[in-house]
PDB file of all heavy atoms in Angstrom:
ATOM      1  N   ILE A   1       3.518   4.187  13.647  1.00 85.00           N
ATOM      2  CA  ILE A   1       3.162   3.691  12.328  1.00 85.00           C
ATOM      3  C   ILE A   1       1.931   4.435  11.814  1.00 85.00           C
ATOM      4  O   ILE A   1       1.046   4.816  12.592  1.00 85.00           O
ATOM      5  CB  ILE A   1       2.902   2.166  12.358  1.00 85.00           C
ATOM      6  CG1 ILE A   1       2.835   1.594  10.941  1.00 85.00           C
ATOM      7  CG2 ILE A   1       1.649   1.816  13.144  1.00 85.00           C
ATOM      8  CD1 ILE A   1       2.865   0.079  10.900  1.00 85.00           C
ATOM      9  N   ALA A   2       1.908   4.683  10.523  1.00 89.00           N
ATOM     10  CA  ALA A   2       0.771   5.337   9.888  1.00 89.00           C
ATOM     11  C   ALA A   2       0.469   4.620   8.577  1.00 89.00           C
ATOM     12  O   ALA A   2       1.353   4.025   7.959  1.00 89.00           O
ATOM     13  CB  ALA A   2       1.069   6.810   9.631  1.00 89.00           C
ATOM     14  N   VAL A   3      -0.794   4.671   8.166  1.00 90.00           N
ATOM     15  CA  VAL A   3      -1.245   4.009   6.950  1.00 90.00           C
ATOM     16  C   VAL A   3      -1.720   5.068   5.955  1.00 90.00           C
ATOM     17  O   VAL A   3      -2.552   5.917   6.291  1.00 90.00           O
ATOM     18  CB  VAL A   3      -2.399   3.026   7.243  1.00 90.00           C
ATOM     19  CG1 VAL A   3      -2.809   2.291   5.964  1.00 90.00           C
ATOM     20  CG2 VAL A   3      -2.000   2.023   8.324  1.00 90.00           C
ATOM     21  N   LEU A   4      -1.172   5.018   4.749  1.00 92.00           N
ATOM     22  CA  LEU A   4      -1.540   5.940   3.671  1.00 92.00           C
ATOM     23  C   LEU A   4      -2.206   5.167   2.551  1.00 92.00           C
ATOM     24  O   LEU A   4      -1.985   3.965   2.391  1.00 92.00           O
ATOM     25  CB  LEU A   4      -0.296   6.654   3.127  1.00 92.00           C
ATOM     26  CG  LEU A   4       0.696   7.235   4.133  1.00 92.00           C
ATOM     27  CD1 LEU A   4       1.898   7.827   3.400  1.00 92.00           C
ATOM     28  CD2 LEU A   4       0.035   8.277   5.010  1.00 92.00           C
ATOM     29  N   GLY A   5      -3.020   5.867   1.758  1.00 90.00           N
ATOM     30  CA  GLY A   5      -3.681   5.214   0.632  1.00 90.00           C
ATOM     31  C   GLY A   5      -4.203   6.235  -0.351  1.00 90.00           C
ATOM     32  O   GLY A   5      -3.863   7.414  -0.283  1.00 90.00           O
ATOM     33  N   LYS A   6      -5.050   5.783  -1.236  1.00 87.00           N
ATOM     34  CA  LYS A   6      -5.563   6.648  -2.294  1.00 87.00           C
ATOM     35  C   LYS A   6      -6.349   7.816  -1.718  1.00 87.00           C
ATOM     36  O   LYS A   6      -7.174   7.638  -0.833  1.00 87.00           O
ATOM     37  CB  LYS A   6      -6.447   5.845  -3.244  1.00 87.00           C
ATOM     38  CG  LYS A   6      -6.976   6.645  -4.419  1.00 87.00           C
ATOM     39  CD  LYS A   6      -7.628   5.766  -5.466  1.00 87.00           C
ATOM     40  CE  LYS A   6      -8.919   5.155  -4.981  1.00 87.00           C
ATOM     41  NZ  LYS A   6      -9.630   4.431  -6.060  1.00 87.00           N
ATOM     42  N   THR A   7      -6.054   9.009  -2.211  1.00 82.00           N
ATOM     43  CA  THR A   7      -6.826  10.175  -1.783  1.00 82.00           C
ATOM     44  C   THR A   7      -8.267  10.022  -2.251  1.00 82.00           C
ATOM     45  O   THR A   7      -8.536   9.506  -3.332  1.00 82.00           O
ATOM     46  CB  THR A   7      -6.220  11.472  -2.343  1.00 82.00           C
ATOM     47  OG1 THR A   7      -7.073  12.563  -1.973  1.00 82.00           O
ATOM     48  CG2 THR A   7      -6.081  11.434  -3.849  1.00 82.00           C
ATOM     49  N   MET A   8      -9.193  10.480  -1.419  1.00 75.00           N
ATOM     50  CA  MET A   8     -10.604  10.349  -1.753  1.00 75.00           C
ATOM     51  C   MET A   8     -11.220  11.663  -2.232  1.00 75.00           C
ATOM     52  O   MET A   8     -12.438  11.832  -2.205  1.00 75.00           O
ATOM     53  CB  MET A   8     -11.378   9.829  -0.532  1.00 75.00           C
ATOM     54  CG  MET A   8     -10.984   8.424  -0.137  1.00 75.00           C
ATOM     55  SD  MET A   8     -11.218   7.238  -1.498  1.00 75.00           S
ATOM     56  CE  MET A   8     -10.628   5.735  -0.739  1.00 75.00           C
ATOM     57  N   VAL A   9     -10.378  12.601  -2.627  1.00 72.00           N
ATOM     58  CA  VAL A   9     -10.872  13.864  -3.168  1.00 72.00           C
ATOM     59  C   VAL A   9     -11.322  13.611  -4.604  1.00 72.00           C
ATOM     60  O   VAL A   9     -10.506  13.401  -5.506  1.00 72.00           O
ATOM     61  CB  VAL A   9      -9.789  14.956  -3.130  1.00 72.00           C
ATOM     62  CG1 VAL A   9     -10.320  16.269  -3.695  1.00 72.00           C
ATOM     63  CG2 VAL A   9      -9.289  15.154  -1.698  1.00 72.00           C
ATOM     64  N   GLU A  10     -12.616  13.592  -4.808  1.00 68.00           N
ATOM     65  CA  GLU A  10     -13.165  13.180  -6.099  1.00 68.00           C
ATOM     66  C   GLU A  10     -12.708  14.066  -7.251  1.00 68.00           C
ATOM     67  O   GLU A  10     -12.584  13.623  -8.391  1.00 68.00           O
ATOM     68  CB  GLU A  10     -14.696  13.174  -6.030  1.00 68.00           C
ATOM     69  CG  GLU A  10     -15.233  12.120  -5.063  1.00 68.00           C
ATOM     70  CD  GLU A  10     -16.732  12.177  -4.944  1.00 68.00           C
ATOM     71  OE1 GLU A  10     -17.346  13.040  -5.613  1.00 68.00           O
ATOM     72  OE2 GLU A  10     -17.298  11.368  -4.180  1.00 68.00           O
ATOM     73  N   GLU A  11     -12.455  15.340  -6.940  1.00 65.00           N
ATOM     74  CA  GLU A  11     -12.044  16.257  -7.996  1.00 65.00           C
ATOM     75  C   GLU A  11     -10.610  16.022  -8.450  1.00 65.00           C
ATOM     76  O   GLU A  11     -10.180  16.532  -9.479  1.00 65.00           O
ATOM     77  CB  GLU A  11     -12.192  17.717  -7.523  1.00 65.00           C
ATOM     78  CG  GLU A  11     -13.607  18.127  -7.166  1.00 65.00           C
ATOM     79  CD  GLU A  11     -14.025  17.670  -5.770  1.00 65.00           C
ATOM     80  OE1 GLU A  11     -13.137  17.192  -5.034  1.00 65.00           O
ATOM     81  OE2 GLU A  11     -15.217  17.775  -5.445  1.00 65.00           O
ATOM     82  N   ASP A  12      -9.859  15.266  -7.653  1.00 75.00           N
ATOM     83  CA  ASP A  12      -8.427  15.083  -7.926  1.00 75.00           C
ATOM     84  C   ASP A  12      -8.196  13.780  -8.681  1.00 75.00           C
ATOM     85  O   ASP A  12      -7.523  12.870  -8.200  1.00 75.00           O
ATOM     86  CB  ASP A  12      -7.647  15.110  -6.616  1.00 75.00           C
ATOM     87  CG  ASP A  12      -6.183  15.475  -6.831  1.00 75.00           C
ATOM     88  OD1 ASP A  12      -5.764  15.549  -8.000  1.00 75.00           O
ATOM     89  OD2 ASP A  12      -5.481  15.681  -5.845  1.00 75.00           O
ATOM     90  N   GLU A  13      -8.743  13.679  -9.864  1.00 82.00           N
ATOM     91  CA  GLU A  13      -8.649  12.443 -10.629  1.00 82.00           C
ATOM     92  C   GLU A  13      -7.221  12.116 -11.053  1.00 82.00           C
ATOM     93  O   GLU A  13      -6.848  10.944 -11.159  1.00 82.00           O
ATOM     94  CB  GLU A  13      -9.549  12.532 -11.867  1.00 82.00           C
ATOM     95  CG  GLU A  13     -11.035  12.575 -11.540  1.00 82.00           C
ATOM     96  CD  GLU A  13     -11.895  12.607 -12.783  1.00 82.00           C
ATOM     97  OE1 GLU A  13     -11.327  12.475 -13.894  1.00 82.00           O
ATOM     98  OE2 GLU A  13     -13.117  12.763 -12.646  1.00 82.00           O
ATOM     99  N   GLU A  14      -6.405  13.156 -11.281  1.00 84.00           N
ATOM    100  CA  GLU A  14      -5.023  12.914 -11.721  1.00 84.00           C
ATOM    101  C   GLU A  14      -4.239  12.168 -10.650  1.00 84.00           C
ATOM    102  O   GLU A  14      -3.536  11.190 -10.949  1.00 84.00           O
ATOM    103  CB  GLU A  14      -4.320  14.231 -12.053  1.00 84.00           C
ATOM    104  CG  GLU A  14      -2.902  14.012 -12.578  1.00 84.00           C
ATOM    105  CD  GLU A  14      -2.201  15.319 -12.920  1.00 84.00           C
ATOM    106  OE1 GLU A  14      -2.827  16.391 -12.787  1.00 84.00           O
ATOM    107  OE2 GLU A  14      -1.033  15.246 -13.308  1.00 84.00           O
ATOM    108  N   ASN A  15      -4.342  12.611  -9.386  1.00 85.00           N
ATOM    109  CA  ASN A  15      -3.634  11.923  -8.309  1.00 85.00           C
ATOM    110  C   ASN A  15      -4.142  10.497  -8.138  1.00 85.00           C
ATOM    111  O   ASN A  15      -3.362   9.573  -7.900  1.00 85.00           O
ATOM    112  CB  ASN A  15      -3.792  12.692  -6.992  1.00 85.00           C
ATOM    113  CG  ASN A  15      -2.736  13.765  -6.828  1.00 85.00           C
ATOM    114  OD1 ASN A  15      -1.539  13.501  -6.928  1.00 85.00           O
ATOM    115  ND2 ASN A  15      -3.172  14.992  -6.622  1.00 85.00           N
ATOM    116  N   MET A  16      -5.446  10.320  -8.247  1.00 86.00           N
ATOM    117  CA  MET A  16      -6.010   8.965  -8.136  1.00 86.00           C
ATOM    118  C   MET A  16      -5.443   8.050  -9.215  1.00 86.00           C
ATOM    119  O   MET A  16      -5.057   6.913  -8.944  1.00 86.00           O
ATOM    120  CB  MET A  16      -7.536   9.029  -8.260  1.00 86.00           C
ATOM    121  CG  MET A  16      -8.242   9.584  -7.051  1.00 86.00           C
ATOM    122  SD  MET A  16     -10.034   9.455  -7.259  1.00 86.00           S
ATOM    123  CE  MET A  16     -10.611  10.083  -5.677  1.00 86.00           C
ATOM    124  N   SER A  17      -5.382   8.572 -10.433  1.00 89.00           N
ATOM    125  CA  SER A  17      -4.883   7.763 -11.554  1.00 89.00           C
ATOM    126  C   SER A  17      -3.409   7.423 -11.380  1.00 89.00           C
ATOM    127  O   SER A  17      -2.978   6.290 -11.639  1.00 89.00           O
ATOM    128  CB  SER A  17      -5.087   8.503 -12.874  1.00 89.00           C
ATOM    129  OG  SER A  17      -6.452   8.704 -13.120  1.00 89.00           O
ATOM    130  N   LEU A  18      -2.609   8.399 -10.933  1.00 91.00           N
ATOM    131  CA  LEU A  18      -1.179   8.162 -10.724  1.00 91.00           C
ATOM    132  C   LEU A  18      -0.953   7.121  -9.630  1.00 91.00           C
ATOM    133  O   LEU A  18      -0.089   6.249  -9.744  1.00 91.00           O
ATOM    134  CB  LEU A  18      -0.469   9.465 -10.377  1.00 91.00           C
ATOM    135  CG  LEU A  18      -0.289  10.461 -11.524  1.00 91.00           C
ATOM    136  CD1 LEU A  18       0.213  11.810 -11.000  1.00 91.00           C
ATOM    137  CD2 LEU A  18       0.684   9.916 -12.573  1.00 91.00           C
ATOM    138  N   PHE A  19      -1.732   7.219  -8.560  1.00 91.00           N
ATOM    139  CA  PHE A  19      -1.586   6.258  -7.468  1.00 91.00           C
ATOM    140  C   PHE A  19      -1.980   4.858  -7.915  1.00 91.00           C
ATOM    141  O   PHE A  19      -1.307   3.876  -7.616  1.00 91.00           O
ATOM    142  CB  PHE A  19      -2.427   6.688  -6.269  1.00 91.00           C
ATOM    143  CG  PHE A  19      -2.312   5.756  -5.096  1.00 91.00           C
ATOM    144  CD1 PHE A  19      -1.147   5.718  -4.341  1.00 91.00           C
ATOM    145  CD2 PHE A  19      -3.350   4.912  -4.752  1.00 91.00           C
ATOM    146  CE1 PHE A  19      -1.026   4.850  -3.264  1.00 91.00           C
ATOM    147  CE2 PHE A  19      -3.237   4.044  -3.683  1.00 91.00           C
ATOM    148  CZ  PHE A  19      -2.069   4.014  -2.937  1.00 91.00           C
ATOM    149  N   GLU A  20      -3.080   4.760  -8.636  1.00 92.00           N
ATOM    150  CA  GLU A  20      -3.526   3.453  -9.122  1.00 92.00           C
ATOM    151  C   GLU A  20      -2.503   2.834 -10.075  1.00 92.00           C
ATOM    152  O   GLU A  20      -2.258   1.624 -10.043  1.00 92.00           O
ATOM    153  CB  GLU A  20      -4.887   3.596  -9.809  1.00 92.00           C
ATOM    154  CG  GLU A  20      -6.024   3.864  -8.828  1.00 92.00           C
ATOM    155  CD  GLU A  20      -7.317   4.236  -9.519  1.00 92.00           C
ATOM    156  OE1 GLU A  20      -7.307   4.368 -10.770  1.00 92.00           O
ATOM    157  OE2 GLU A  20      -8.335   4.391  -8.822  1.00 92.00           O
ATOM    158  N   ALA A  21      -1.881   3.680 -10.918  1.00 93.00           N
ATOM    159  CA  ALA A  21      -0.850   3.180 -11.838  1.00 93.00           C
ATOM    160  C   ALA A  21       0.362   2.668 -11.064  1.00 93.00           C
ATOM    161  O   ALA A  21       0.961   1.644 -11.415  1.00 93.00           O
ATOM    162  CB  ALA A  21      -0.440   4.278 -12.810  1.00 93.00           C
ATOM    163  N   PHE A  22       0.729   3.390 -10.004  1.00 94.00           N
ATOM    164  CA  PHE A  22       1.850   2.962  -9.166  1.00 94.00           C
ATOM    165  C   PHE A  22       1.549   1.602  -8.531  1.00 94.00           C
ATOM    166  O   PHE A  22       2.381   0.687  -8.558  1.00 94.00           O
ATOM    167  CB  PHE A  22       2.117   3.999  -8.072  1.00 94.00           C
ATOM    168  CG  PHE A  22       2.955   3.493  -6.934  1.00 94.00           C
ATOM    169  CD1 PHE A  22       4.320   3.273  -7.105  1.00 94.00           C
ATOM    170  CD2 PHE A  22       2.381   3.218  -5.699  1.00 94.00           C
ATOM    171  CE1 PHE A  22       5.105   2.790  -6.050  1.00 94.00           C
ATOM    172  CE2 PHE A  22       3.150   2.741  -4.648  1.00 94.00           C
ATOM    173  CZ  PHE A  22       4.511   2.520  -4.824  1.00 94.00           C
ATOM    174  N   CYS A  23       0.356   1.458  -7.960  1.00 94.00           N
ATOM    175  CA  CYS A  23      -0.012   0.201  -7.302  1.00 94.00           C
ATOM    176  C   CYS A  23      -0.029  -0.970  -8.277  1.00 94.00           C
ATOM    177  O   CYS A  23       0.343  -2.087  -7.928  1.00 94.00           O
ATOM    178  CB  CYS A  23      -1.383   0.343  -6.633  1.00 94.00           C
ATOM    179  SG  CYS A  23      -1.406   1.495  -5.253  1.00 94.00           S
ATOM    180  N   GLU A  24      -0.443  -0.690  -9.490  1.00 94.00           N
ATOM    181  CA  GLU A  24      -0.508  -1.750 -10.499  1.00 94.00           C
ATOM    182  C   GLU A  24       0.875  -2.183 -10.953  1.00 94.00           C
ATOM    183  O   GLU A  24       1.124  -3.371 -11.205  1.00 94.00           O
ATOM    184  CB  GLU A  24      -1.324  -1.257 -11.698  1.00 94.00           C
ATOM    185  CG  GLU A  24      -1.585  -2.326 -12.735  1.00 94.00           C
ATOM    186  CD  GLU A  24      -2.488  -1.845 -13.862  1.00 94.00           C
ATOM    187  OE1 GLU A  24      -3.230  -0.867 -13.659  1.00 94.00           O
ATOM    188  OE2 GLU A  24      -2.433  -2.458 -14.946  1.00 94.00           O
ATOM    189  N   ALA A  25       1.816  -1.225 -11.033  1.00 93.00           N
ATOM    190  CA  ALA A  25       3.149  -1.530 -11.555  1.00 93.00           C
ATOM    191  C   ALA A  25       4.117  -2.031 -10.479  1.00 93.00           C
ATOM    192  O   ALA A  25       5.012  -2.820 -10.764  1.00 93.00           O
ATOM    193  CB  ALA A  25       3.741  -0.282 -12.226  1.00 93.00           C
ATOM    194  N   ALA A  26       3.951  -1.566  -9.245  1.00 94.00           N
ATOM    195  CA  ALA A  26       4.918  -1.878  -8.185  1.00 94.00           C
ATOM    196  C   ALA A  26       4.694  -3.277  -7.617  1.00 94.00           C
ATOM    197  O   ALA A  26       3.563  -3.767  -7.557  1.00 94.00           O
ATOM    198  CB  ALA A  26       4.813  -0.846  -7.065  1.00 94.00           C
ATOM    199  N   THR A  27       5.783  -3.905  -7.208  1.00 94.00           N
ATOM    200  CA  THR A  27       5.707  -5.169  -6.473  1.00 94.00           C
ATOM    201  C   THR A  27       5.765  -4.841  -4.986  1.00 94.00           C
ATOM    202  O   THR A  27       6.771  -4.315  -4.508  1.00 94.00           O
ATOM    203  CB  THR A  27       6.865  -6.103  -6.845  1.00 94.00           C
ATOM    204  OG1 THR A  27       6.846  -6.350  -8.249  1.00 94.00           O
ATOM    205  CG2 THR A  27       6.770  -7.415  -6.081  1.00 94.00           C
ATOM    206  N   PRO A  28       4.714  -5.107  -4.234  1.00 94.00           N
ATOM    207  CA  PRO A  28       4.715  -4.734  -2.813  1.00 94.00           C
ATOM    208  C   PRO A  28       5.645  -5.619  -1.997  1.00 94.00           C
ATOM    209  O   PRO A  28       5.975  -6.731  -2.399  1.00 94.00           O
ATOM    210  CB  PRO A  28       3.254  -4.943  -2.397  1.00 94.00           C
ATOM    211  CG  PRO A  28       2.754  -5.998  -3.331  1.00 94.00           C
ATOM    212  CD  PRO A  28       3.458  -5.759  -4.640  1.00 94.00           C
ATOM    213  N   LEU A  29       6.069  -5.100  -0.851  1.00 93.00           N
ATOM    214  CA  LEU A  29       6.797  -5.920   0.110  1.00 93.00           C
ATOM    215  C   LEU A  29       5.761  -6.614   0.989  1.00 93.00           C
ATOM    216  O   LEU A  29       4.894  -5.959   1.572  1.00 93.00           O
ATOM    217  CB  LEU A  29       7.723  -5.053   0.972  1.00 93.00           C
ATOM    218  CG  LEU A  29       9.039  -4.634   0.328  1.00 93.00           C
ATOM    219  CD1 LEU A  29       9.811  -3.688   1.246  1.00 93.00           C
ATOM    220  CD2 LEU A  29       9.904  -5.847   0.009  1.00 93.00           C
ATOM    221  N   GLU A  30       5.866  -7.920   1.077  1.00 90.00           N
ATOM    222  CA  GLU A  30       4.920  -8.662   1.897  1.00 90.00           C
ATOM    223  C   GLU A  30       5.314  -8.554   3.369  1.00 90.00           C
ATOM    224  O   GLU A  30       6.491  -8.596   3.726  1.00 90.00           O
ATOM    225  CB  GLU A  30       4.870 -10.127   1.476  1.00 90.00           C
ATOM    226  CG  GLU A  30       4.204 -10.356   0.136  1.00 90.00           C
ATOM    227  CD  GLU A  30       3.998 -11.829  -0.152  1.00 90.00           C
ATOM    228  OE1 GLU A  30       4.428 -12.661   0.682  1.00 90.00           O
ATOM    229  OE2 GLU A  30       3.425 -12.153  -1.197  1.00 90.00           O
ATOM    230  N   ILE A  31       4.310  -8.413   4.212  1.00 88.00           N
ATOM    231  CA  ILE A  31       4.542  -8.345   5.648  1.00 88.00           C
ATOM    232  C   ILE A  31       4.809  -9.751   6.177  1.00 88.00           C
ATOM    233  O   ILE A  31       4.109 -10.709   5.815  1.00 88.00           O
ATOM    234  CB  ILE A  31       3.327  -7.723   6.350  1.00 88.00           C
ATOM    235  CG1 ILE A  31       3.189  -6.255   5.909  1.00 88.00           C
ATOM    236  CG2 ILE A  31       3.445  -7.815   7.854  1.00 88.00           C
ATOM    237  CD1 ILE A  31       1.952  -5.567   6.419  1.00 88.00           C
ATOM    238  N   CYS A  32       5.811  -9.869   7.029  1.00 84.00           N
ATOM    239  CA  CYS A  32       6.165 -11.189   7.550  1.00 84.00           C
ATOM    240  C   CYS A  32       5.039 -11.722   8.430  1.00 84.00           C
ATOM    241  O   CYS A  32       4.328 -10.959   9.081  1.00 84.00           O
ATOM    242  CB  CYS A  32       7.466 -11.123   8.344  1.00 84.00           C
ATOM    243  SG  CYS A  32       7.308 -10.290   9.931  1.00 84.00           S
ATOM    244  N   PRO A  33       4.859 -13.036   8.458  1.00 79.00           N
ATOM    245  CA  PRO A  33       3.835 -13.616   9.332  1.00 79.00           C
ATOM    246  C   PRO A  33       4.275 -13.542  10.792  1.00 79.00           C
ATOM    247  O   PRO A  33       5.468 -13.435  11.096  1.00 79.00           O
ATOM    248  CB  PRO A  33       3.755 -15.073   8.852  1.00 79.00           C
ATOM    249  CG  PRO A  33       5.105 -15.340   8.255  1.00 79.00           C
ATOM    250  CD  PRO A  33       5.559 -14.037   7.659  1.00 79.00           C
ATOM    251  N   GLU A  34       3.311 -13.575  11.694  1.00 72.00           N
ATOM    252  CA  GLU A  34       3.627 -13.538  13.128  1.00 72.00           C
ATOM    253  C   GLU A  34       4.542 -14.686  13.528  1.00 72.00           C
ATOM    254  O   GLU A  34       5.347 -14.556  14.453  1.00 72.00           O
ATOM    255  CB  GLU A  34       2.339 -13.619  13.943  1.00 72.00           C
ATOM    256  CG  GLU A  34       1.570 -12.327  14.030  1.00 72.00           C
ATOM    257  CD  GLU A  34       0.391 -12.474  14.962  1.00 72.00           C
ATOM    258  OE1 GLU A  34       0.582 -12.267  16.174  1.00 72.00           O
ATOM    259  OE2 GLU A  34      -0.698 -12.807  14.470  1.00 72.00           O
ATOM    260  N   THR A  35       4.408 -15.807  12.830  1.00 73.00           N
ATOM    261  CA  THR A  35       5.213 -16.979  13.185  1.00 73.00           C
ATOM    262  C   THR A  35       6.705 -16.712  13.040  1.00 73.00           C
ATOM    263  O   THR A  35       7.524 -17.364  13.681  1.00 73.00           O
ATOM    264  CB  THR A  35       4.837 -18.178  12.299  1.00 73.00           C
ATOM    265  OG1 THR A  35       4.889 -17.777  10.923  1.00 73.00           O
ATOM    266  CG2 THR A  35       3.433 -18.671  12.621  1.00 73.00           C
ATOM    267  N   PHE A  36       7.078 -15.716  12.206  1.00 74.00           N
ATOM    268  CA  PHE A  36       8.499 -15.400  12.047  1.00 74.00           C
ATOM    269  C   PHE A  36       9.092 -14.983  13.386  1.00 74.00           C
ATOM    270  O   PHE A  36      10.169 -15.428  13.777  1.00 74.00           O
ATOM    271  CB  PHE A  36       8.673 -14.270  11.026  1.00 74.00           C
ATOM    272  CG  PHE A  36      10.100 -13.788  10.897  1.00 74.00           C
ATOM    273  CD1 PHE A  36      11.022 -14.488  10.132  1.00 74.00           C
ATOM    274  CD2 PHE A  36      10.524 -12.639  11.554  1.00 74.00           C
ATOM    275  CE1 PHE A  36      12.330 -14.050  10.020  1.00 74.00           C
ATOM    276  CE2 PHE A  36      11.835 -12.198  11.443  1.00 74.00           C
ATOM    277  CZ  PHE A  36      12.739 -12.909  10.676  1.00 74.00           C
ATOM    278  N   PHE A  37       8.399 -14.114  14.122  1.00 68.00           N
ATOM    279  CA  PHE A  37       8.895 -13.654  15.414  1.00 68.00           C
ATOM    280  C   PHE A  37       8.806 -14.741  16.473  1.00 68.00           C
ATOM    281  O   PHE A  37       9.680 -14.867  17.328  1.00 68.00           O
ATOM    282  CB  PHE A  37       8.114 -12.416  15.874  1.00 68.00           C
ATOM    283  CG  PHE A  37       8.356 -11.206  15.012  1.00 68.00           C
ATOM    284  CD1 PHE A  37       7.326 -10.625  14.310  1.00 68.00           C
ATOM    285  CD2 PHE A  37       9.627 -10.645  14.903  1.00 68.00           C
ATOM    286  CE1 PHE A  37       7.540  -9.515  13.513  1.00 68.00           C
ATOM    287  CE2 PHE A  37       9.844  -9.544  14.110  1.00 68.00           C
ATOM    288  CZ  PHE A  37       8.806  -8.972  13.420  1.00 68.00           C
ATOM    289  N   GLU A  38       7.763 -15.540  16.404  1.00 67.00           N
ATOM    290  CA  GLU A  38       7.612 -16.615  17.381  1.00 67.00           C
ATOM    291  C   GLU A  38       8.766 -17.598  17.285  1.00 67.00           C
ATOM    292  O   GLU A  38       9.286 -18.076  18.303  1.00 67.00           O
ATOM    293  CB  GLU A  38       6.278 -17.334  17.159  1.00 67.00           C
ATOM    294  CG  GLU A  38       5.074 -16.473  17.500  1.00 67.00           C
ATOM    295  CD  GLU A  38       3.779 -17.083  17.015  1.00 67.00           C
ATOM    296  OE1 GLU A  38       3.831 -18.188  16.430  1.00 67.00           O
ATOM    297  OE2 GLU A  38       2.719 -16.457  17.200  1.00 67.00           O
ATOM    298  N   LYS A  39       9.198 -17.908  16.060  1.00 65.00           N
ATOM    299  CA  LYS A  39      10.322 -18.824  15.878  1.00 65.00           C
ATOM    300  C   LYS A  39      11.602 -18.211  16.429  1.00 65.00           C
ATOM    301  O   LYS A  39      12.436 -18.900  17.005  1.00 65.00           O
ATOM    302  CB  LYS A  39      10.493 -19.153  14.396  1.00 65.00           C
ATOM    303  CG  LYS A  39       9.407 -20.064  13.838  1.00 65.00           C
ATOM    304  CD  LYS A  39       9.595 -20.290  12.345  1.00 65.00           C
ATOM    305  CE  LYS A  39       8.493 -21.170  11.774  1.00 65.00           C
ATOM    306  NZ  LYS A  39       8.644 -21.344  10.304  1.00 65.00           N
ATOM    307  N   ARG A  40      11.792 -16.893  16.233  1.00 60.00           N
ATOM    308  CA  ARG A  40      13.026 -16.243  16.697  1.00 60.00           C
ATOM    309  C   ARG A  40      13.101 -16.209  18.216  1.00 60.00           C
ATOM    310  O   ARG A  40      14.161 -16.282  18.800  1.00 60.00           O
ATOM    311  CB  ARG A  40      13.126 -14.816  16.150  1.00 60.00           C
ATOM    312  CG  ARG A  40      13.884 -14.720  14.836  1.00 60.00           C
ATOM    313  CD  ARG A  40      13.163 -15.397  13.717  1.00 60.00           C
ATOM    314  NE  ARG A  40      14.015 -15.827  12.611  1.00 60.00           N
ATOM    315  CZ  ARG A  40      13.610 -16.708  11.719  1.00 60.00           C
ATOM    316  NH1 ARG A  40      12.441 -17.287  11.820  1.00 60.00           N
ATOM    317  NH2 ARG A  40      14.385 -17.055  10.723  1.00 60.00           N
TER     318      ARG A  40
END
């Protein structure tokens, strides 16, 4: 597993803006709680 996020290259404002727009518009998938596996 790997975790990705907003680039921190300050000069790259376009990528930052595009990523922020995506995060604002998209509906994230919620991670299941641990109890889901415990019940199974």
Side-chain angles (χ1 to χ4, degrees):
I1 193 168
V3 183
L4 314 177
K6 183 169 69 173
T7 176
M8 295 302 178
V9 180
E10 295 177 0
E11 299 80 9
D12 203 352
E13 293 182 6
E14 183 180 358
N15 273 307
M16 286 186 177
S17 297
L18 287 170
F19 181 72
E20 288 170 356
F22 163 73
C23 293
E24 186 175 338
T27 302
L29 281 176
E30 289 188 357
I31 294 174
C32 72
E34 282 185 87
T35 52
F36 174 80
F37 293 118
E38 292 168 1
K39 288 177 181 178
R40 268 67 204 163

